Amino acid sequence: MDSRTEIRDFLTSRRARITPERAGLPAYGGNRRVAGLRREEVALLAGVSVDYYTRLERGNLSGVSESVLEAIARALQLDEAERAHLFDLARAANTTPGTARTRRRPTQQVRPGVQRILDAMTQAPAYVRNGRLDVLAANQLGRAVFAPLFNASTRTPNIARFIFLDPAAQEFYVEWESLAGDTVALLRAEAGRDPYDRALSDLVGELSTRSDVFRTWWAAHNVRLHRSGTKHLHHPVVGDLTLAFESMDLTADTGLRLNAYSAEPGSPSQEALNLLASWTAAPHVRSATGQGD
């Protein structure tokens, strides 16, 4: 992914959404040729020269200081995820491909100790994913709840590939459009953190080629944090599920996150989870699914 293009498109798209009124600036004249703020208005708000901000927006973040990045973030009213993305883009702009290869790469395997923790979570569906949304490990209940995802591919399951390329995803995820938007935003943020990840570039290229929706949303340059929330699923066996989730970094494993789900006690969703848990715990089921000894 081209660093200068990513920076230019991100800053331009953020500037376009801020009106002078929202920024607390007087709107002189009724005929503005740009959507949102002008470059000189962003420069004024950030306390830098117009020439310097123009250089930044053209994709040149080489040598830019943290204080300037903070000022740009304030001027463009970036949220937490967008601010982090701007700093990631600046870091990438000041890192050569050779230097990037020597940095600690994201972990791509799940340690046995992490798998044991997953397996011990018998009442909570859980899995471990990387930044590309590959699901690298799961417990039995996680495989049962997200069966359409695991059944969709003979290779490592990938949440983004399932959402955008498998028609079953729109039936499984009740709020498909919202979740799909979050998925694009997560991949966009990951691309900012590691623009030299060839597997990520290949995934984005595949999805852009095969999904018009993904291609359109990718061009919006939205980024998002996805730490907790609620998912509404339509399971092919037990029906509708409403599950709260927490997404947690595995601090000893760079780039990996553990996602765990729970249902409201006493709710129909909890009863459905209990049914799936008892079903997956049955010895004949584990043997039939290849999860036994």
Side-chain angles (χ1 to χ4, degrees), residues 138-179:
N139 59 12
Q140 289 187 27
L141 189 52
R143 288 181 175 274
V145 168
F146 293 94
L149 167 66
F150 286 94
N151 295 337
S153 177
T154 56
R155 54 183 169 177
T156 301
N158 180 273
I159 297 169
R161 190 177 284 114
F162 173 64
I163 287 174
F164 285 99
L165 303 184
D166 193 323
Q170 295 197 34
E171 182 175 351
F172 179 62
Y173 292 112
V174 176
E175 297 173 333
W176 180 88
E177 185 169 346
S178 175
L179 181 63

Side-chain angles (χ1 to χ4, degrees), residues 9-285:
D9 291 348
F10 178 67
L11 289 177
T12 301
S13 65
R14 300 311 95 170
R15 175 165 62 87
R17 69 180 184 176
I18 306 293
T19 64
E21 293 80 8
R22 179 175 166 184
L25 295 174
Y28 296 114
N31 185 24
R32 294 176 64 89
R33 293 186 301 169
V34 297
L37 295 177
R38 300 185 178 102
R39 285 177 176 170
E40 54 265 33
E41 290 169 330
V42 178
L44 173 66
L45 291 168
V48 299
S49 71
V50 176
D51 286 344
Y52 187 65
Y53 177 73
T54 300
R55 187 200 105 183
L56 300 181
E57 195 177 278
R58 286 176 176 168
N60 185 1
L61 292 184
S62 177
V64 65
S65 68
E66 288 193 7
S67 61
V68 169
L69 291 176
E70 290 284 8
I72 298 298
R74 288 193 299 272
L76 295 176
Q77 300 181 20
L78 303 186
D79 63 21
E80 183 183 358
E82 292 167 332
R83 177 191 172 279
H85 188 58
L86 177 61
F87 274 74
D88 287 336
L89 291 174
R91 195 175 301 111
N94 289 279
T95 303
T96 64
T99 303
R101 282 191 291 270
T102 63
R103 293 188 308 178
R104 187 181 179 192
R105 305 299 297 172
T107 306
Q108 299 303 323
Q109 293 184 331
V110 173
R111 290 179 291 112
V114 174
Q115 183 64 62
R116 287 195 294 271
I117 291 173
L118 285 173
D119 293 338
M121 300 167 66
T122 57
Q123 297 301 311
Y127 59 77
V128 172
R129 66 163 178 84
N130 60 19
R132 293 191 302 272
L133 306 184
D134 295 322
V135 178
L136 304 178
N139 59 12
Q140 289 187 27
L141 189 52
R143 288 181 175 274
V145 168
F146 293 94
L149 167 66
F150 286 94
N151 295 337
S153 177
T154 56
R155 54 183 169 177
T156 301
N158 180 273
I159 297 169
R161 190 177 284 114
F162 173 64
I163 287 174
F164 285 99
L165 303 184
D166 193 323
Q170 295 197 34
E171 182 175 351
F172 179 62
Y173 292 112
V174 176
E175 297 173 333
W176 180 88
E177 185 169 346
S178 175
L179 181 63
D182 288 343
T183 299
V184 177
L186 287 172
L187 289 180
R188 175 59 82 177
E190 181 66 14
R193 283 188 291 270
D194 192 358
Y196 302 111
D197 184 341
R198 178 60 182 273
L200 176 59
S201 297
D202 289 346
L203 175 63
V204 170
E206 176 189 359
L207 296 176
S208 297
T209 300
R210 299 178 61 187
S211 170
D212 292 340
V213 174
F214 180 89
R215 182 169 60 252
T216 300
W217 290 354
W218 182 257
H221 286 265
N222 293 326
V223 293
R224 203 163 299 157
L225 298 175
H226 208 50
R227 295 169 176 161
S228 64
T230 302
K231 279 195 170 65
H232 301 279
L233 311 175
H234 181 74
H235 193 273
V237 176
V238 297
D240 291 339
L241 290 169
T242 298
L243 302 177
F245 74 89
E246 299 291 332
S247 183
M248 299 157 278
D249 282 322
L250 296 179
T251 55
D253 300 300
T254 303
L256 297 191
R257 297 183 71 84
L258 189 152
N259 281 25
Y261 297 78
S262 64
E264 186 71 24
S267 66
S269 293
Q270 183 62 64
E271 293 176 5
L273 277 188
N274 292 342
L275 178 61
L276 284 174
S278 63
W279 186 79
T280 58
H284 71 280
V285 173

